[in-house]
Amino acid sequence: QLQLVESGGGSVQAGGSLRLSCAASGYIYSRYFCMAWFRQAPGKERERVAAIGSDGSERYADSAKGRFTISIDVAKNTMYLQMNSLKPEDTAMYYCAMVLSSSSNTCYSQSRWYNYWGQGSQVTVSS
């Protein structure tokens, strides 16, 4: 059973930085994968912030472009989300997620496509 464990959340001032980590254990082999970060603020729909495919391709929400960077350290079985120039609008619960595929390297944007999830970590940005 694959498990994703998150860490690195916290509270920062606007303009500050945080790095979220998502450590994977119980790896299950698949030809393709997509790992992603989602966030959900109170009263809002869960949205994908960033994603990275097995080919190294990256996707970012418009609100995150130029400020957030997604990466994977294979040796540590860990995915990261580096968040710079944080804004109060970034305040949300952040979740890492993963989907495996035998036929496609496509990273889907909707949360329903992801079947492995981290427990969530709170990010709070104060003005």
Side-chain angles (χ1 to χ4, degrees), residues 17-20 67-71 80-84:
S17 299
L18 283 174
R19 188 179 73 165
L20 302 181
R67 300 188 299 122
F68 292 7
T69 303
I70 188 171
S71 62
Y80 303 96
L81 182 67
Q82 179 67 44
M83 303 183 290
N84 298 325

Side-chain angles (χ1 to χ4, degrees), residues 36-121:
W37 290 95
F38 289 80
R39 68 184 180 190
Q40 188 166 26
K44 294 187 177 181
E45 194 172 67
R46 184 171 296 187
E47 65 172 347
R48 194 181 74 179
V49 178
I52 185 166
S54 51
D55 63 351
S57 61
E58 301 172 20
R59 302 282 193 276
Y60 297 96
D62 289 341
S63 61
K65 289 180 179 178
R67 300 188 299 122
F68 292 7
T69 303
I70 188 171
S71 62
I72 296 175
D73 187 331
V74 176
K76 295 182 178 181
N77 297 312
T78 301
M79 176 177 67
Y80 303 96
L81 182 67
Q82 179 67 44
M83 303 183 290
N84 298 325
S85 302
L86 284 163
K87 306 174 181 179
E89 305 93 89
D90 296 317
T91 296
M93 184 72 73
Y94 284 70
Y95 301 89
C96 63
M98 183 177 186
V99 62
L100 304 176
S101 176
S102 61
S103 61
S104 177
N105 194 48
T106 301
C107 284
Y108 299 103
S109 62
Q110 295 187 354
S111 61
R112 69 183 184 90
W113 291 104
Y114 296 81
N115 56 339
Y116 299 100
W117 291 86
Q119 81 280 10
S121 57

Side-chain angles (χ1 to χ4, degrees), residues 12-35:
V12 296
Q13 292 282 102
S17 299
L18 283 174
R19 188 179 73 165
L20 302 181
S21 298
C22 178
S25 62
Y27 175 75
I28 301 175
Y29 174 81
S30 180
R31 183 174 182 179
Y32 303 108
F33 70 82
C34 181
M35 299 194 71

